[in-house]
Amino acid sequence: MHELSIVMSIVDIAEKEAIKANVDSFSQIELTIGSQSGIVMEALDFAWNSGVKNTVLENAKLSIKHIKAISKCSDCGYTFEIENLYDACPKCNSLFTDLIQGNELQISSLSYDK
Ligand SMILES: [Zn+2]
C-alpha cells in the first residue's frame, strides 16, 4: 500500500529529528498535503494508525494542512487553481500548463513537550 510507505518515510524523518532534538517522542506533527499529491486521506489515516506504533510518533497528534493545486499556463502565463491535473487554462483554453503547487507531501512541523 502506497500510503503505508509514505507513513514509514515520515516516521523515518521523525526518528532522525528526534535524535537531533534529543527527545523520545513528539506530541504533534503537521503535514502539508497538496490536492494533487495522490494521497487518499482514508488510506493515510489507516496507514498512520498502524505505521506509527512503537515509534516517536505513536502519541503525536496528527494535523493536516491541505493546499490547493495551482497551475501556470505555458501560453499566457495565467495562474489558476485546478481540480484536475489536465484542466485547461480558463483564460486562453491552452492545455499546456505546469503544476506549480499541489503535489506536496511534507512535514510542516514537529513539536514535542519539553
Ligand atoms: Zn492561458
Side-chain angles (χ1 to χ4, degrees), residues 5-26:
S5 65
I6 289 165
V7 172
M8 296 326 285
S9 62
I10 291 169
V11 166
D12 217 47
I13 294 166
E15 298 273 359
K16 285 180 187 128
E17 290 300 318
I19 293 166
K20 267 195 233 165
N22 198 22
V23 294
D24 298 326
S25 63
F26 289 104

Side-chain angles (χ1 to χ4, degrees), residues 22-104:
N22 198 22
V23 294
D24 298 326
S25 63
F26 289 104
S27 56
Q28 220 174 347
I29 180 168
E30 185 187 68
L31 305 179
T32 299
I33 297 179
S35 66
Q36 294 296 319
S37 64
I39 304 293
V40 179
M41 291 313 302
E42 291 79 23
L44 184 69
D45 268 348
F46 182 77
W48 187 264
N49 291 330
S50 54
V52 300
K53 278 210 180 83
N54 303 316
T55 74
V56 294
L57 292 175
E58 183 162 19
N59 298 309
K61 190 177 162 288
L62 173 65
S63 60
I64 290 169
K65 196 170 123 197
H66 293 278
I67 56 173
K68 289 178 175 148
I70 294 175
S71 277
K72 183 174 188 196
C73 176
S74 308
D75 286 329
C76 75
Y78 187 64
T79 57
F80 55 100
E81 246 175 52
I82 57 164
E83 294 290 324
N84 301 297
L85 198 51
Y86 299 106
D87 281 356
C89 171
K91 265 207 161 157
C92 73
N93 266 323
S94 171
L95 290 170
F96 297 101
T97 61
D98 288 316
L99 189 69
I100 56 174
Q101 173 191 304
N103 58 2
E104 293 80 357

Side-chain angles (χ1 to χ4, degrees), residues 100-113:
I100 56 174
Q101 173 191 304
N103 58 2
E104 293 80 357
L105 172 70
Q106 60 205 31
I107 299 173
S108 27
S109 76
L110 269 172
S111 16
Y112 51 87
D113 297 325

